[in-house]
């Protein structure tokens, strides 16, 4: 089977398998797939490995299916397509190494292909889309938007990070603001810079509205035009 047909089949399989809410649905996969191809154009790497890992990376995600920690569903599909063992092993390794496991838990990627897909996945957690996904995920877990009494935590183990049930605004400090400096490739870092700045602006505006500080700003403008 040629690679183009294989990738198209993978896309169909994943589209029909993704059952997560807005933060982890087919459109997340599609964006990560597209971004991975964009990064690969500038950074290189084996396109087949990159596209398969991008497409299959969230099939067994622990956030969606906490009972799965490994890439078993992705592996089963690749085996059923009779892919070479080296391809299957490489894609599975990327999927297992990929996810963010807490502020103090390093997750180094072993290959350029892995670095690219990890960057693409992390870029989708940043910027306007990243903000929307964070609140969609928090909402699906009935979390508060923000709670000034609960300080963010720098999780030092994956087990601790998985237990986290804090308000969604803390997620910016516990993960989203850390992503820019974790980018593997220069191409992704440039995109991350702009998405990072947008999130900072958003959070500072959020906190200002939380305390209705924006109202006093409007009053000030009315009194001192
Ligand atoms: Ni993902």
């Amino acid at each position: 089977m040629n690679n183009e047909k294989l990738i198209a089949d993978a896309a169909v399989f994943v589209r029909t398998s993704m059952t997560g809410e807005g933060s982890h649905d087919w459109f997340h996969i599609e964006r990560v797939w597209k971004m991975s191809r964009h990064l690969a154009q500038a950074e290189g790497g084996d396109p087949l490995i990159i596209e398969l890992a991008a497409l299959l990376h969230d099939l067994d995600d622990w956030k969606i299916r906490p009972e799965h920690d490994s890439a078993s569903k992705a592996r089963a599909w690749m085996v059923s397509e009779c892919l070479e063992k080296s391809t299957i092993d490489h894609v599975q390794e990327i999927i297992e190494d990929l996810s963010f496991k807490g502020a103090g838990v390093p997750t180094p990627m072993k290959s350029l292909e892995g670095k690219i897909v990890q960057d693409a996945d992390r870029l989708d957690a940043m910027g306007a889309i990243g903000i929307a996904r964070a609140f969609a995920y928090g909402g699906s877990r009935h979390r508060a938007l923000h709670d000034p009494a609960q300080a963010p935590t720098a999780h030092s183990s994956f087990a601790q990070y998985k237990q986290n049930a804090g308000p969604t605004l803390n997620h910016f400090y516990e993960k989203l603001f850390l992503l820019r400096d974790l980018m593997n490739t220069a191409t992704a870092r440039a995109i991350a810079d702009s998405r990072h700045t947008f999130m900072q602006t958003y959070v500072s505006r959020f906190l200002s509205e939380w305390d209705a500080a924006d109202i006093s700003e409007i009053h000030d403008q009315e009194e001192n035009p």
Side-chain angles (χ1 to χ4, degrees):
M1 191 189 300
N2 68 40
N3 289 354
E4 225 166 281
K5 169 88 169 68
L6 184 68
I7 297 292
D9 286 355
V12 170
F13 169 65
V14 174
R15 190 181 298 141
T16 51
S17 304
M18 295 300 293
T19 53
E21 34 61 51
S23 71
H24 290 88
D25 59 1
W26 162 249
F27 295 112
H28 162 64
I29 304 301
E30 198 178 36
R31 289 188 303 267
V32 171
W33 181 26
K34 214 182 274 180
M35 180 62 80
S36 295
R37 284 200 304 240
H38 170 76
L39 297 178
Q41 270 176 7
E43 303 283 342
D46 178 340
L48 178 65
I49 300 287
I50 291 170
E51 294 199 42
L52 282 178
L55 282 165
L56 300 170
H57 83 273
D58 268 340
L59 279 180
D60 298 276
D61 193 280
W62 62 265
K63 291 186 287 301
I64 314 302
R65 293 182 195 79
E67 70 276 15
H68 287 121
D69 255 341
S70 68
S72 52
K73 205 171 170 190
R75 185 174 188 95
W77 182 82
M78 290 188 286
V79 169
S80 76
E81 293 290 320
C82 306
L83 298 191
E84 275 176 38
K85 188 176 178 300
S86 61
T87 303
I88 296 175
D89 289 346
H90 191 175
V91 171
Q92 179 169 5
E93 179 186 78
I94 292 173
I95 295 171
E96 288 177 355
D97 289 347
L98 190 70
S99 62
F100 185 87
K101 298 179 174 71
V105 189
T107 49
M109 301 304 288
K110 297 175 192 84
S111 64
L112 173 61
E113 290 79 7
K115 289 180 198 298
I116 285 173
V117 179
Q118 186 179 55
D119 280 355
D121 191 36
R122 288 179 168 176
L123 283 171
D124 206 54
M126 301 182 72
I129 298 275
I131 294 167
R133 291 182 65 221
F135 286 108
Y137 181 73
S140 77
R141 296 290 184 275
H142 303 282
R143 294 184 185 165
L145 302 178
H146 174 45
D147 179 354
Q150 286 193 59
T153 318
H155 302 106
S156 55
S157 74
F158 186 34
Q160 203 190 22
Y161 180 70
K162 277 201 274 193
Q163 295 287 311
N164 172 48
T168 299
L169 204 76
N170 285 2
H171 193 58
F172 285 83
Y173 300 96
E174 291 161 355
K175 174 180 170 185
L176 306 187
F177 285 150
L178 310 176
L179 294 177
R180 177 181 62 170
D181 292 334
L182 293 173
M183 290 296 147
N184 300 300
T185 66
T187 313
R189 170 69 195 219
I191 301 166
D193 274 339
S194 137
R195 294 188 181 190
H196 183 87
T197 306
F198 182 83
M199 291 194 299
Q200 282 180 315
T201 306
Y202 173 81
V203 168
S204 89
R205 175 77 195 204
F206 181 105
L207 292 170
S208 145
E209 291 182 18
W210 189 270
D211 293 324
D214 58 320
I215 293 172
S216 51
E217 278 162 29
I218 293 164
H219 279 303
D220 287 350
Q221 280 164 14
E222 280 167 357
E223 280 161 26
N224 310 302

